[in-house]
């Protein structure tokens, strides 16, 4: 079975600093990979996704992620964090079940942004 | 476009009571899901549906039931509520495009069982 590991429960950065959130997955085939963001009191919103092709994908709000097959990783990055980026971030991997792809989510990383 | 709408947003239940969390989507999505979110545990899939009349169990189905009589609605039923069911519940939907499901989530329903 596939799994997703987000090793950092909390990450604290200063506003304007760079950010990298880690995600490692376990899956036998080429995965579908996602990053979602959850703002306080809200549902999850898709930041970006990787299905195939260019391993560096761009998302909304200035985020990007890089798929590294050799490391089974899909880390999320942002060069300069804004206070409004404070949220919970979830990495997810899609897998096949009865012909449909149902994402499995990591436990999430809470991003705290200091002014 | 409303997207995915969940009701209620908050609810307190007593142990042993039953209730239904409502979920409706207006995007004509085939797939619908129920997840629960517990602190530090991420999202766990409870049930999902690939179309009207078809449902299947996810990772943590015990204590819950679902039905899918229409494309739009996917209610989650809690029978004999237990404190372990205290959680935030998210409904989501997706349109399966080439097997790559991007989920649209509702805002969540926070349930407390006392």
């Amino acid at each position: 079975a596939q799994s997703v590991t987000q090793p950092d429960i909390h990450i604290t950065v200063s506003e304007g600093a760079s950010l990298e959130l880690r995600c490692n997955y376990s899956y036998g085939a080429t995965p579908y990979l996602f990053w979602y963001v959850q703002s306080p009191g809200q549902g999850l919103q898709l930041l970006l996704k990787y299905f195939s092709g260019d391993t560096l994908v761009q998302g909304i709000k200035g985020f990007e992620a890089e798929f590294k097959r050799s490391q089974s990783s899909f880390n999320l990055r942002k060069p300069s964090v804004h206070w409004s980026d404070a949220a919970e971030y979830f990495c997810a991997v899609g897998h096949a079940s009865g012909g449909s792809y149902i994402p499995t989510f990591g436990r999430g990383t809470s991003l705290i942004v200091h002014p | 476009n409303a997207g995915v709408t969940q009701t209620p947003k908050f609810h307190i239940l007593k142990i042993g009571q039953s209730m239904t969390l409502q979920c409706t989507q207006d995007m004509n999505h085939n797939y619908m899901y129920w997840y629960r979110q517990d602190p530090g545990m991420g999202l766990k899939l409870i049930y999902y549906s690939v179309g009207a009349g078809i449902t299947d169990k996810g990772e943590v189905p015990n204590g819950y039931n679902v039905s899918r009589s229409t494309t739009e609605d996917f209610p989650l039923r809690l029978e004999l509520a237990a404190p372990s069911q205290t959680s935030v519940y998210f409904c989501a939907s997706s349109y399966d495009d080439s097997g790559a499901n991007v989920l649209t989530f509702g805002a969540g329903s926070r349930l407390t069982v006392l």
Side-chain angles (χ1 to χ4, degrees), chain A residues 40-104:
Chain A
Q42 300 296 316
L44 281 70
Q45 177 187 17
L46 182 72
L47 270 179
L48 48 78
K49 61 186 185 289
Y50 171 78
F51 294 159
S52 64
D54 192 346
T55 57
L56 183 64
V57 293
Q58 303 297 320
I60 62 171
K61 303 183 181 184
F63 285 91
E64 66 178 25
E66 186 171 13
F67 170 57
K68 293 185 177 180
R69 184 187 302 276
S70 61
Q71 298 177 19
S72 297
S73 69
F74 189 56
N75 293 350
L76 182 70
R77 301 193 295 249
K78 187 170 185 178
S80 178
V81 170
H82 188 263
W83 64 267
S84 61
D85 294 325
E88 190 91 15
Y89 291 81
F90 292 91
C91 182
V93 60
H95 68 99
S97 174
S100 66
Y101 285 74
I102 303 172
T104 295

Side-chain angles (χ1 to χ4, degrees), chain A residues 5 32 59 89:
Chain A
T5 301
Y32 289 175
Y89 291 81

Side-chain angles (χ1 to χ4, degrees), chain B residues 66-81:
Chain B
V66 294
S67 60
R68 184 96 181 268
S69 58
T70 67
T71 299
E72 295 78 20
D73 300 306
F74 191 42
L76 178 71
R77 178 83 176 161
L78 282 74
E79 305 282 1
L80 299 175

Side-chain angles (χ1 to χ4, degrees), chain A residues 14-38:
Chain A
S14 298
E15 192 169 14
S18 63
L19 171 70
E20 182 170 36
L21 302 182
R22 296 183 289 166
C23 173
N24 293 96
Y25 66 90
S26 171
Y27 188 63
T30 299
Y32 289 175
L33 295 163
F34 310 83
W35 275 99
Y36 286 83
V37 59
Q38 182 184 27

